[in-house]
Structure formats: C-alpha cells, structure tokens
C-alpha cells in the first residue's frame, strides 16, 4: 500500500515555539513552511538553519523553509498551525483567513485568552474563520528548547472534530514525540492559560526562598483552582488531570525554562515587573492572562485566591510579601468543602 503523501503545513509565528514545532513537523517529513514577520530573522533562518534570536545554537532541519509571505505560506497549506502570542492571535487569524484553502483546518499552540475580552481562543477562531472550519488546540507540557533539541515530549490536541484532532496529532507524533488527542477545547485552553498564572505564584515563592513545601502546596492548591474554574465553565475534569492541566502545571511551576516561572522568581527576589519582562525578552503570557483568568472567575462566581494574588502582584497592588500574607491568613477549611471539585 502506498503511504499517503505528507501534508504541507504552514506554521504561522516564528518565535521559539513556532520554530520548534515547525522543526519537529519538518523532521517528520512534512513539507513545512514557517512564517514570521521579521524579514532579517526569516532570511537568517533560511541561510543558516538556525533561529538565532529564539532558539540559539539549535540546528533546524534543512527541509524547513521560512518566509515573510503569509499569502504564499498559508495558500499552499493542508494544515495551518498558528503559534503567535495570545495578544496577536485574533489579528493573525484575520490575516490568515483570506488565504486559507478550503481544505485546510486551523490549529493553534497559543496559550491564553483574547486580552481585553477574555474570550477563549477557539471562540475567537470560530468567529474569525467561521463555524465550519475544523479547529484544534495543541497544548501540554512542552518547552520549545527541548522539543527543538529532539528530547522526548508528550502533548495533546483537542478538537470538536475527532478526525481533525487526529490529523494534527499525526504530523506532530514521531519517534521522540507523543501526541495524544481529546475533544475538550474548553478545558485544554483553560489549563494552558491558568498554568502560566500559577507558575508565577510558585516562582514568587521560590524567589522568596519559601521552601519546597510551599511550592508543592501552591501547585496542588493551584490545580484545585484550575479544576474548580474548569467545572464552572463546563470543561472536563480529566482534561485538567492530564497533559493540558496537571502536566503543564508541574512543568511550568518547576522548570526554570519557563518564562512565567522566571517572572515570578524575579518578583520574589524584589525585581520590578518591567525589568523582569525586559530581561526575559520573550512573551510572558501571564502578564495578560492573570486578568482574563480573574475575569472568567468573576463571571462564574468562582473564588481563586492564588490567581487573584498573582493578578494583584502583577499590577503592583500587592507586594509578594503581602500576597503571601494574604494567602496564609485565609480562613481554615476542609480541603474539599463541596466534594472533589467543589
Ligand atoms: N516557548 C514555549 O516553550 C511554548 C510557548 N507556548 C505558547 O506559544 C505562544 C507563542 O510563544 P513563543 O513562541 O514562546 O513566544 P516568543 O516570545 O518566543 O516569540 C513570539 C513570536 O511572536 C511574534 N509576534 C509577536 N507579536 C506579533 C504580532 N502582532 N503579529 C505576528 N507575530 C507576532 C514574534 O515576532 P517578532 O520576533 O517579530 O517580534 C515572535 O516570532 C504563546 O502563547 C506561548 O504561551 C506554548 C508552549 C510552549
Ligand atoms: O507553555 C510552556 C510549556 O508548556 C512554556 O511556558 P512559559 O511560557 O512559561 O515559558
């Protein structure tokens, strides 16, 4: 039997994660074109097979090509994978839409909400692209650098369209990369967004040298916040107990490659937010996501003490020490006042 021809994949967004995913997919034999807006950086990727700004020192596959021509990149694609920061998600989809061939579904590996409205990204995508376009979210514990280096990784692809989730998982899945599938875009997006906020909390605690007990307590009570908000919005609990929730929470709260954790570490050590974000030099989604998580929490009447403290610290309304005091002085109560996810 003749194997099906590899798909042509357009990866839209040439930062660390877009480049790493494009390299992964190209290594799996798919024709892969990476789109970025920075002409100098794109030319350098084609010339040197390296993204020196976002993944310095890591060799990209020769088969991977990069372009600044969005129309050509998207127009030839069987699958579009959007990997820009959440603040650029809607505008990027609007730019992609006119060039998308009818056959091409759209997936994204962006984590966060639409800033300002708090809409889930699948809601934004459905509005911009139309209800009939297959959509999928790619999420889970996955540092770009490790994926680009070919280190073993597992993540998950959620879609309302099982065949499309499988098609996206198929281009990602390979010898060192396990791509699972699911049908819960709500839960998957919530997990990917909330873990960034909770990573700031554990980073702050570690920056303040509060110890490993504090870190474990924050991760566990953070997971509880994720589960409670997820239940209120109608996501599936198992999504949050898997790669999209617990998996990514543990990675981001404990791994120093995390930019959100590094922001927390810097704040805990007394650095200002502006200086910390500047030093990190890449997208730090929690800075916007904390507001949107709390917008969702308020909308659904769910109390999220850790996320709320992070939001206030990020707005400099509380110092890290005051945030800690607030959390430690909360009323004593049963671990599960209203059942497992109450
Ligand atoms: N890095 C990681 O390990 C992972 C990241 N993610 C998620 O992936 C998303 C992208 O993050 P990541 O690649 O890490 O970010 P980076 O900071 O590494 O890169 C950001 C990229 O987005 C581009 N960009 C910024 N604003 C715009 C815009 N308005 N229009 C078009 N492109 C824009 C930047 O272009 P330019 O260089 O020209 O400014 C750059 O290519 C985030 O939501 C993140 O949470 C998810 C899993 C892992
Ligand atoms: O989402 C990520 C890992 O899964 C990357 O986390 P940071 O954005 O905190 O670096």
């Amino acid at each position: 039997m003749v194997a099906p021809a590899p798909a042509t994949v357009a990866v839209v967004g040439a930062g660390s994660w877009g480049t790493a995913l494009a390299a992964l997919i190209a290594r799996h034999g798919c024709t892969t074109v990476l789109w970025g807006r920075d002409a100098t950086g794109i030319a350098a990727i084609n010339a040197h097979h390296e993204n020196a700004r976002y993944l310095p020192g890591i060799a990209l596959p020769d088969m991977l090509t990069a372009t600044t021509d969005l129309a050509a990149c998207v127009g030839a694609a069987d699958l579009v994978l959007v990997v820009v920061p959440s603040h650029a998600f809607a505008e990027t989809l609007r730019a992609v839409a006119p060039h998308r061939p009818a056959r091409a579904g759209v997936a994204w590996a962006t984590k966060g909400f639409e800033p300002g409205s708090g809409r889930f990204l699948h809601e934004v995508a459905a509005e911009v692209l139309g209800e009939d376009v297959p959509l999928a979210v790619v999420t889970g514990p996955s540092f770009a650098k490790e994926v680009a280096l070919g280190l073993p990784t597992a993540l998950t692809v959620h879609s309302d369209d099982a065949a499309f989730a499988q098609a996206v998982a198929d281009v990602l899945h390979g010898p060192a990369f396990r791509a699972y599938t699911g049908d819960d875009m709500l839960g998957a997006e919530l997990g990917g967004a909330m873990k960034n906020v909770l990573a700031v909390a554990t980073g702050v605690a570690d920056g303040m040298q509060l110890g490993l007990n504090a870190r474990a307590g924050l991760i566990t009570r953070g997971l509880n916040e994720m589960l409670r908000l997820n239940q209120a919005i109608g996501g599936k609990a198992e999504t949050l107990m898997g790669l999209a929730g617990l998996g990514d929470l543990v990675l981001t709260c404990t791994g120093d490659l995390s930019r959100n954790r590094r922001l927390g570490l810097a704040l805990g050590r007394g650095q200002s937010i502006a200086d910390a974000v500047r030093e990190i030099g890449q997208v730090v989604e929690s800075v916007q996501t904390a507001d949107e998580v709390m917008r969702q929490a308020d909308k659904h009447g769910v109390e999220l003490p850790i996320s709320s403290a992070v939001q206030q610290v990020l707005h400099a309304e509380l110092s890290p020490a005051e945030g800690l005091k607030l959390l430690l002085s909360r009323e004593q109560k049963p671990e599960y006042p209203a059942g497992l996810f109450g």
Side-chain angles (χ1 to χ4, degrees):
M1 203 172 107
V2 181
T8 298
V9 181
V11 178
V12 176
S16 45
W17 192 215
T19 304
L21 285 173
L24 175 84
I25 296 167
R27 286 184 190 123
H28 292 165
C30 298
T31 304
T32 311
V33 184
L34 176 64
W35 173 86
R37 62 181 181 174
D38 169 21
T40 311
I42 292 299
I45 290 174
N46 286 325
H48 307 298
H49 306 292
E50 180 192 359
N51 186 335
R53 168 150 184 224
Y54 289 105
L55 292 171
I58 300 179
L60 302 174
D62 292 351
M63 309 80 76
L64 175 64
T65 56
T67 182
T68 55
D69 185 342
L70 187 68
C73 175
V74 170
D78 300 310
L79 165 64
V80 179
L81 178 56
V82 175
V83 201
V84 295
S86 61
H87 68 80
F89 186 75
E91 69 179 79
T92 301
L93 279 192
R94 280 194 286 272
V96 161
H99 310 297
R100 184 189 63 83
R103 65 178 182 278
V106 176
W108 55 92
T110 305
K111 289 175 180 167
F113 300 99
E114 180 180 55
S117 74
R119 286 193 300 171
F120 282 75
L121 299 184
H122 69 269
E123 296 173 330
V124 176
E127 186 202 83
V128 173
L129 300 169
E131 299 286 343
D132 295 336
V133 178
L135 303 176
V137 52
V138 174
T139 189
S142 46
F143 286 134
K145 182 178 177 185
E146 295 189 2
V147 170
L149 288 169
L151 295 171
T153 299
L155 54 61
T156 185
V157 182
H158 283 255
S159 176
D160 292 342
D161 178 333
F164 185 58
Q166 192 58 54
V168 177
D170 285 348
V171 301
L172 297 169
H173 197 88
F177 199 98
R178 297 195 58 79
Y180 292 81
T181 56
D183 63 0
D184 179 19
M185 288 203 284
L186 263 180
E189 287 187 336
L190 186 75
M194 283 191 79
K195 65 87 188 174
N196 282 334
V197 177
L198 296 162
V200 176
T202 50
V204 167
D206 287 345
M208 294 172 73
Q209 299 189 306
L210 300 181
L212 299 174
N213 298 345
R215 183 199 286 182
L218 281 168
I219 293 173
T220 313
R221 293 308 293 171
L223 177 64
N224 189 281
E225 291 194 4
M226 287 166 77
L227 287 165
R228 286 187 289 108
L229 184 54
N230 186 53
Q231 188 190 40
I233 65 167
K236 293 182 181 177
E238 67 251 35
T239 309
L240 274 288
M241 293 307 292
L243 295 163
L246 178 62
D248 214 355
L249 182 67
V250 169
L251 180 83
T252 317
C253 287
T254 61
D256 286 345
L257 284 177
S258 164
R259 295 147 313 178
N260 290 286
R261 172 175 163 77
R262 293 208 309 267
L263 172 61
L265 284 169
L267 297 176
R269 289 172 186 144
Q271 210 174 348
S272 74
I273 295 169
D275 285 352
V277 168
R278 196 176 321 110
E279 244 172 57
I280 292 166
Q282 295 187 5
V283 68
V284 186
E285 288 283 15
S286 57
V287 173
Q288 295 175 104
T289 302
D291 286 347
E292 305 312 338
V293 165
M294 290 315 299
R295 193 192 302 270
Q296 290 286 343
D298 292 345
K299 183 170 151 191
H300 294 281
V302 179
E303 199 187 7
L304 304 179
I306 302 170
S307 302
S308 170
V310 169
Q311 182 195 28
Q312 291 174 78
V313 168
L314 289 177
H315 284 287
E317 292 162 6
L318 283 182
S319 69
E322 287 166 339
L324 172 70
K325 197 169 161 200
L326 200 71
L327 290 176
L328 290 177
S329 62
R330 284 174 55 77
E331 80 284 9
Q332 195 192 7
K333 60 172 185 245
E335 188 173 5
Y336 296 111
L340 184 55
F341 304 126

